Amino acid sequence: MHDRKTPARILVTYATGHGSTAGVAATIAEALRGAGAEVDLAPVAGAPAPAAYAAVVVGSPIRYDTWLPAAQNWVHTHQSVLATRPVAYFFTCIALSIASDKGSGAKYADTVRAICPIVQPVSVGGFAGALDLSNFSILTLLPACLMFRYLGAKPGDYRDIPAIRAWALEVLATQHSQNDRNHP
């Protein structure tokens, strides 16, 4: 049983394409640890099963308007356990760095919520990512540059670390309030 005196054990797991989402996941884990939670951080490829955790945070970059398949598959594989505890989703998307494209955050949040209907996340956080073209292979660089030019995205690190930390603390507060309701 978990109460406010016992640190929450939280799994933060993520898929990443070029490292930006891994950095966001690490920032979330750091914020949760700073608030007293016991946190395990792992990519979905090596993530432990979620049954031993009081709460789970899962994230992925947005590619072709949805999460990476590895993150989607992890959620589907563990959906029966995830449906029984507080789960928060997050996504990174370079399009969120473009002032005219801020509305896509709500669209992507809805898309991520719909990935596995049995799992109802307590929160979905959307964050601008980082775009470092040196992370792209020679085969993907030209198509990526064309797509980013079309979007109006420019290389740079657009991650808002204070906003990411604030979201993580909101998720922790939500997890605490759900546990308080479930274990009076």
Side-chain angles (χ1 to χ4, degrees):
M1 184 184 312
H2 173 78
D3 60 35
R4 285 187 185 264
K5 295 176 189 143
T6 306
R9 188 157 182 231
I10 301 171
L11 174 62
V12 177
T13 189
Y14 60 91
T16 192
H18 300 289
S20 177
T21 305
V24 171
T27 299
I28 291 166
E30 175 187 298
L32 296 172
R33 287 183 189 121
E38 180 184 328
V39 179
D40 290 337
L41 174 65
V44 292
Y53 295 90
V56 179
V57 178
V58 186
S60 171
I62 294 292
R63 293 277 169 79
Y64 304 108
D65 293 333
T66 192
W67 266 3
L68 294 178
Q72 292 184 51
N73 292 340
W74 192 87
V75 169
H76 282 281
T77 297
H78 300 289
Q79 66 183 325
S80 61
V81 173
L82 295 174
T84 66
R85 59 201 13 87
V87 174
Y89 292 155
F90 74 93
F91 62 89
T92 57
C93 182
I94 199 63
L96 297 181
S97 70
I98 304 163
S100 65
D101 212 16
K102 296 295 184 194
S104 64
K107 174 183 86 171
Y108 294 140
D110 290 343
T111 299
V112 170
R113 271 187 201 92
I115 286 171
C116 185
I118 190 172
V119 179
Q120 295 297 309
V122 297
S123 181
V124 178
F127 308 104
L131 177 56
D132 181 354
L133 296 176
S134 69
N135 288 329
F136 288 80
S137 74
I138 194 74
L139 295 174
T140 61
L141 185 58
L142 180 60
C145 286
L146 291 172
M147 180 183 65
F148 295 134
R149 175 170 272 195
Y150 171 77
L151 291 172
K154 295 182 169 56
D157 190 341
Y158 300 99
R159 293 173 290 187
D160 183 341
I161 301 303
I164 295 165
R165 286 184 179 136
W167 178 81
L169 296 177
E170 288 173 17
V171 167
L172 185 61
T174 301
Q175 185 262 332
H176 280 311
S177 68
Q178 281 200 344
N179 281 339
D180 289 347
R181 281 194 303 272
N182 295 336
H183 305 289

